[in-house]
Amino acid sequence: MEQINFTLLEALHTNKQVYLTYYKKGQCITETGFIQFVDSLGDLFIFIDDVFELKNKMRLSELINVRLA
């Protein structure tokens, strides 16, 4: 979890694209996008997806993996 948080913050400050992997409705989903906001204490982050350029709000605890693109 600490490594995921570190990667999210790095992507936020450098404006680098990331690959996010998370569970949704029993499926493992990977999306690409840009991190806009991270709140580690509130278990929340906001990212803008690369396909539709929509803001997505998600819990940090739902993430499986994050890596820089």
Side-chain angles (χ1 to χ4, degrees):
M1 193 63 182
E2 186 177 330
Q3 181 61 41
I4 287 174
N5 192 36
F6 178 78
T7 305
L8 286 173
L9 290 173
E10 180 181 355
L12 174 67
H13 293 296
T14 60
N15 200 34
K16 289 185 180 175
Q17 189 176 34
V18 292
Y19 294 106
L20 301 167
T21 305
Y22 59 93
Y23 279 117
K24 184 175 184 179
K25 298 181 182 177
Q27 293 185 359
C28 190
I29 298 171
T30 300
E31 290 190 50
T32 58
F34 293 91
I35 305 301
Q36 187 177 39
F37 175 79
V38 178
D39 179 5
S40 301
L41 296 176
D43 188 38
L44 173 74
F45 73 98
I46 297 173
F47 75 98
I48 299 173
D49 70 46
D50 200 29
V51 178
F52 300 110
E53 298 182 0
L54 297 173
K55 282 187 182 181
N56 297 286
K57 212 182 267 192
M58 188 180 297
R59 294 190 164 282
L60 288 168
S61 56
E62 294 174 348
L63 283 175
I64 300 169
N65 190 26
V66 176
R67 59 189 170 92
L68 296 174

